[in-house]
Amino acid sequence: MERPIFDIPGFLAERARPASVATTTGRGNTALAMMWFVAEDRRLWFHTPAETGRPAPFLDAARHEREVAVMVATFDPPDDVRQVRMTGRARLEAKDGARVRRIYERYVPDWNAAWADHAASPNACLWSMSPERGMAVTYPGLENGPVFRWSKPVRPGWSVLDSVSEG
């Protein structure tokens, strides 16, 4: 299958849809969390607190450019069961207040000063991952549907996060 089976960028842009993110710690233990994100510039972007003295496996993965796995899914059978599963290297990013605000605005219905202060906290870091490999699948009526998989660009310059209506 050469093209995604549904509009992946549109799905990832749906408001209030969280991502399940997994990585391994430096000791090889698994870490899993639900996170807010925004899909922009061919990357998934996250904003994670960095509390002194507390483990930060996702920031450590980004700091060391280790791989993370991300799944964004719906499960409202029988009509809406969709999954996008992706893996790729994480990386720390420079502070970008506008991007952080776009992450939060996807989940917070009423932006206010308290949320602005939280988003601007110096105790949080912006990081991202580029989906290098993955799959997208839907189960209409809970029946198996075709699976779209990628492990390299489908065509030169293509990203799964590009609009599927292009080219």
Side-chain angles (χ1 to χ4, degrees):
M1 169 173 284
E2 292 186 24
R3 297 194 54 85
I5 53 180
F6 58 90
D7 178 8
I8 293 171
F11 176 63
L12 296 177
E14 291 176 7
R15 289 186 58 82
R17 185 160 316 286
S20 297
V21 184
T23 192
T24 54
T25 68
R27 293 181 175 176
N29 298 320
T30 55
L32 176 66
M34 293 292 287
M35 294 187 182
W36 293 357
F37 74 98
V38 68
E40 297 178 342
D41 299 329
R42 295 181 168 194
R43 302 186 74 74
L44 299 180
W45 299 79
F46 304 90
H47 192 239
T48 301
E51 298 177 30
T52 305
R54 299 208 34 147
F58 301 98
L59 294 179
D60 288 344
R63 195 172 288 115
H64 299 291
E65 297 189 2
R66 289 197 306 260
E67 200 159 272
V68 297
V70 176
M71 182 172 74
V72 180
T74 63
F75 190 76
D76 189 15
D79 301 320
D80 188 13
V81 181
R82 295 173 286 167
Q83 296 179 352
V84 178
R85 304 177 205 169
M86 304 164 270
T87 59
R89 296 212 177 272
R91 71 179 188 207
L92 283 178
E93 301 286 353
K95 287 205 176 275
D96 181 341
R99 192 179 310 269
V100 170
R101 181 172 176 156
R102 288 191 300 275
I103 293 170
Y104 283 76
E105 285 179 335
R106 286 174 34 89
Y107 303 91
V108 178
D110 298 314
W111 188 257
N112 58 42
W115 279 109
D117 289 346
H118 179 78
S121 169
N123 297 327
C125 296
L126 183 65
W127 63 278
S128 71
M129 70 84 75
S130 176
E132 299 163 3
R133 293 167 304 288
M135 66 179 285
V137 66
T138 185
Y139 301 97
L142 294 180
E143 294 181 19
N144 287 333
V147 176
F148 171 71
R149 297 179 192 275
W150 76 93
S151 60
K152 60 183 176 187
V154 175
R155 62 184 182 271
W158 182 88
S159 167
V160 72
L161 298 181
D162 290 335
S163 171
V164 296
S165 62
E166 291 180 355

